[in-house]
Amino acid sequence: MKSIFYCFVLISYSFNIFANEDKSPTRNKSFQIQAIIYSSLGTGLSLSYKFKKNIWLNFETQSLSGTMSIDSNDGLTREDADYEFQTKYINVRNYLTNIINNLFIQYGIVSRNWDTKSIIKSNENSQRKAVYKTNYPTNGINFGGGMNWVFDNGLSSGLYLVRIISEEPSFTYELEEDWECSSSCQSNYESNVKKYTPNSSLYLNFGYNF
C-alpha cells in the first residue's frame, strides 16, 4: 500500500512540473504503439496516450520464460532452474522538453507474476529430491528514464532504463527425507536469486505514432 501511495504522490506531482508544451510536429500525434524488442524481462508491447501537454500515460506488458540446468560437482544430482516472468507497467511519462526534446522520465506501478523454482533431481533415476521456490511480491513501483524518438514518417523508437522497487522476496524449501539443505545452502540459493533477479532492465522499442 505504501508503494501505491508514493506512486500516486509522484503522479500528482507530475501535473505541476515539466509541463512546458512540446510544439514539435513529430509529437502532435496522441497515440504510440511500440514492440518491446529487447529487455531483461522479455519481449512485449508498449502503448502510450498523450494525456496533457508533455504528459503521456503508458502501459507495457511483457513476458519471459526458460529453464537452466546444471549438474552438481559430484555428478550425482542435477538442478533444473525454471523461471517465468510476466510483468505489466502503468506509468506516467514526463517529457523534459525544457532540457532535451526526446528525454523523458517515467514512474508508476508494476504488477508482476514471477515464478522461479529450482528442482533437484537424481541423475541416477530422475527422482525429485527437493524444490526451492522464490515467492515474489506481486506489486511495486517502477521508476525510469530514457529517450523516445519520433520521426517525420510516424515511426518511433525508444531506449530507456527501468528500475522496479518492491519488497524482498520470500523463499520456501520442499525437501524429501533423504535430502538436506542447510542454512548455508539456503543462503547460497537466496543470494543467487537476488543477484540475478532482473529488477533493473534496459529497453529497446520500435513502433509507430498516430
Side-chain angles (χ1 to χ4, degrees):
M1 289 300 295
K2 287 184 179 180
S3 297
I4 295 175
F5 172 75
Y6 292 144
C7 175
F8 279 111
V9 170
L10 287 171
I11 291 173
S12 299
Y13 184 62
S14 72
F15 288 97
N16 296 294
I17 62 172
F18 304 132
N20 298 318
E21 185 172 5
D22 182 4
K23 298 182 182 299
S24 170
T26 60
R27 206 168 296 283
N28 287 334
K29 307 297 184 181
S30 296
F31 297 93
Q32 176 177 273
I33 180 171
Q34 291 183 336
I36 300 174
I37 304 300
Y38 170 83
S39 84
S40 301
L41 291 169
T43 57
L45 187 66
S46 175
L47 304 172
S48 297
Y49 170 69
K50 185 177 181 180
F51 179 73
K52 180 182 179 182
K53 294 184 179 180
N54 291 336
I55 299 173
W56 288 63
L57 303 181
N58 186 58
F59 171 77
E60 294 181 349
T61 180
Q62 59 193 131
S63 61
L64 177 70
S65 62
T67 301
M68 297 183 295
S69 298
I70 186 172
D71 286 331
S72 62
N73 292 332
D74 57 17
L76 298 178
T77 59
R78 182 181 74 254
E79 179 178 345
D80 295 330
D82 299 328
Y83 58 91
E84 182 175 2
F85 298 141
Q86 296 181 1
T87 312
K88 294 180 174 63
Y89 298 116
I90 299 178
N91 299 313
V92 170
R93 281 187 177 179
N94 276 328
Y95 282 88
L96 311 183
T97 56
N98 55 332
I99 301 175
I100 299 176
N101 189 43
N102 299 302
L103 177 67
F104 69 86
I105 60 171
Q106 70 176 46
Y107 33 81
I109 59 176
V110 58
S111 173
R112 59 185 185 179
N113 183 11
W114 289 9
D115 180 30
T116 63
K117 59 184 176 182
S118 291
I119 303 174
I120 313 298
K121 294 182 179 180
S122 168
N123 277 334
E124 181 180 356
N125 54 18
S126 296
Q127 180 182 359
R128 191 173 70 178
K129 298 291 187 179
V131 179
Y132 308 155
K133 294 182 179 180
T134 305
N135 309 302
Y136 292 97
T138 56
N139 298 308
I141 62 175
N142 71 89
F143 181 83
M147 302 290 289
N148 187 69
W149 298 274
V150 183
F151 306 100
D152 291 338
N153 58 5
L155 296 177
S156 63
S157 63
L159 181 65
Y160 53 99
L161 181 69
V162 176
R163 173 71 177 176
I164 295 176
I165 303 172
S166 68
E167 296 179 355
E168 291 290 325
S170 61
F171 303 91
T172 57
Y173 300 88
E174 301 174 4
L175 310 177
E176 299 297 328
E177 293 183 357
D178 59 346
W179 187 262
E180 179 182 359
C181 185
S182 63
S183 58
S184 61
C185 162
Q186 294 182 17
S187 177
N188 183 62
Y189 171 75
E190 293 170 13
S191 296
N192 284 333
V193 167
K194 293 176 181 178
K195 179 180 179 180
Y196 294 108
T197 295
N199 285 321
S200 296
S201 182
L202 181 68
Y203 284 77
L204 177 62
N205 296 3
F206 290 100
Y208 187 76
N209 283 43
F210 55 98

